[in-house]
Amino acid sequence: MKEKKKQATEFKTFQVPFDLEAIKKNICIYTNTDIQMSQEQIINKAFKYHSQGNISEAARYYKNFINKGFKDYRVFFNYGVILEDLDKTKYAEILYRESIKLNPLFYNAHYNLGNILTSFNNKKEAVISYKKAIELNPKFVSAHFNLGHILKDLGNLKEAEISYRKAIELNPSLANAHFNLGHILKELEQLKEAFDNYIKVFEIDPNYPNIYSFITRFISESDPSNFDQSKLNN
């Protein structure tokens, strides 16, 4: 089931935008030489334009910064986000990897790299990237969710179940996580709990695409006596 870009979906992962407040707080102070001042001026202009939504100008300054041989993990990451939005995913992958080289602890870059690798169908390496993002930020809900999706695709249903449960633990209102967990549990023949997760989706978002018809079909294909159908009428 697909949702809008701001939400994780079963079929499409999403990227984390640059953290403007973190950028404002962490802009480096350089020593007062011409080259270093030029570096500072470029990076500040890039961040300013990006914060204002002037993406083309931000991209121009990011590219200028990189072409001059300057190094800053935030620049590589932010420029990568811009290129990914422009469907230049191969270039975005290179930039995310450069960002990680400069700051291996930057979990957003590991996560976005996981998304890129997923789009390239490089699922096993994507798992590594998502797990690294989670290691660095255990409360990264979307990383747990997307990891669950990839693990499901790889046939690791029990591990996928764990990932979806963790995403739900961190965000109980994440309808897609309940929906996907329901699928996992259905495949594992844990039908009662699968039903409960589908009902949870209905409770969170009664307008979730086709959820009512999906649940009624699920009941009709199983033993109806196993489920409390009154929950659909509450």
Side-chain angles (χ1 to χ4, degrees):
M1 305 288 291
K2 294 185 178 180
E3 289 186 356
K4 294 184 184 298
K5 186 177 180 181
K6 289 186 179 179
Q7 295 175 300
T9 73
E10 184 182 6
F11 300 111
K12 183 177 180 181
T13 55
F14 67 97
Q15 63 194 19
V16 175
F18 72 102
D19 186 342
L20 177 59
E21 292 305 314
I23 287 170
K24 289 178 178 177
K25 293 177 182 176
N26 293 307
I27 291 177
C28 300
I29 303 300
Y30 302 96
T31 57
N32 191 21
T33 69
D34 289 342
I35 292 179
Q36 289 168 328
M37 283 298 292
S38 175
Q39 180 175 350
E40 183 180 3
Q41 289 168 355
I42 294 170
I43 199 170
N44 282 324
K45 280 186 174 292
F47 290 157
K48 177 182 177 181
Y49 283 122
H50 209 156
S51 70
Q52 294 173 343
N54 191 338
I55 302 303
S56 61
E57 280 299 290
R60 186 166 72 87
Y61 277 97
Y62 288 140
K63 185 175 182 180
N64 185 25
F65 183 92
I66 293 170
N67 286 344
K68 286 181 177 292
F70 298 142
K71 304 285 186 180
D72 188 292
Y73 74 95
R74 297 162 298 164
V75 169
F76 284 104
F77 178 79
N78 289 354
Y79 193 30
V81 170
I82 291 173
L83 292 181
E84 187 174 0
D85 283 343
L86 294 172
D87 292 326
K88 297 180 179 180
T89 50
K90 193 61 187 176
Y91 294 112
E93 177 191 0
I94 293 169
L95 292 170
Y96 291 147
R97 290 189 185 278
E98 287 297 319
S99 180
I100 290 168
K101 285 181 184 177
L102 293 169
N103 184 359
L105 302 181
F106 187 36
Y107 58 84
N108 280 344
H110 289 283
Y111 172 76
N112 279 19
L113 178 59
N115 292 346
I116 290 283
L117 293 168
T118 298
S119 72
F120 293 155
N121 205 34
N122 189 348
K123 295 176 181 178
K124 291 185 177 179
E125 195 174 350
V127 167
I128 295 172
S129 291
Y130 288 138
K131 285 186 174 180
K132 187 62 180 179
I134 290 168
E135 175 188 330
L136 295 169
N137 181 6
K139 295 184 178 181
F140 201 158
V141 177
S142 53
H144 286 288
F145 180 90
N146 288 348
L147 177 59
H149 171 60
I150 297 299
L151 290 171
K152 179 180 180 295
D153 279 355
L154 292 172
N156 300 330
L157 297 186
K158 292 301 294 184
E159 290 185 56
E161 176 188 352
I162 292 170
S163 292
Y164 285 133
R165 288 190 187 279
K166 187 61 180 180
I168 290 168
E169 176 188 328
L170 294 168
N171 183 1
S173 297
L174 189 59
N176 274 341
H178 286 283
F179 188 77
N180 288 3
L181 179 58
H183 286 343
I184 294 287
L185 294 169
K186 180 182 178 183
E187 290 192 43
L188 293 172
E189 297 186 352
Q190 300 177 35
L191 299 184
K192 175 65 169 61
E193 193 174 0
F195 175 78
D196 289 343
N197 274 276
Y198 294 139
I199 289 296
K200 190 64 179 179
V201 175
F202 183 74
E203 292 173 351
I204 293 170
D205 181 7
N207 295 317
Y208 194 91
N210 303 315
I211 187 60
Y212 188 89
S213 59
F214 181 90
I215 293 173
T216 54
R217 186 171 68 251
F218 174 80
I219 293 172
S220 69
E221 293 173 351
S222 309
D223 182 353
S225 65
N226 290 328
F227 311 114
D228 182 2
Q229 299 180 51
S230 66
K231 294 179 178 180
L232 281 173
N233 301 316
N234 293 337

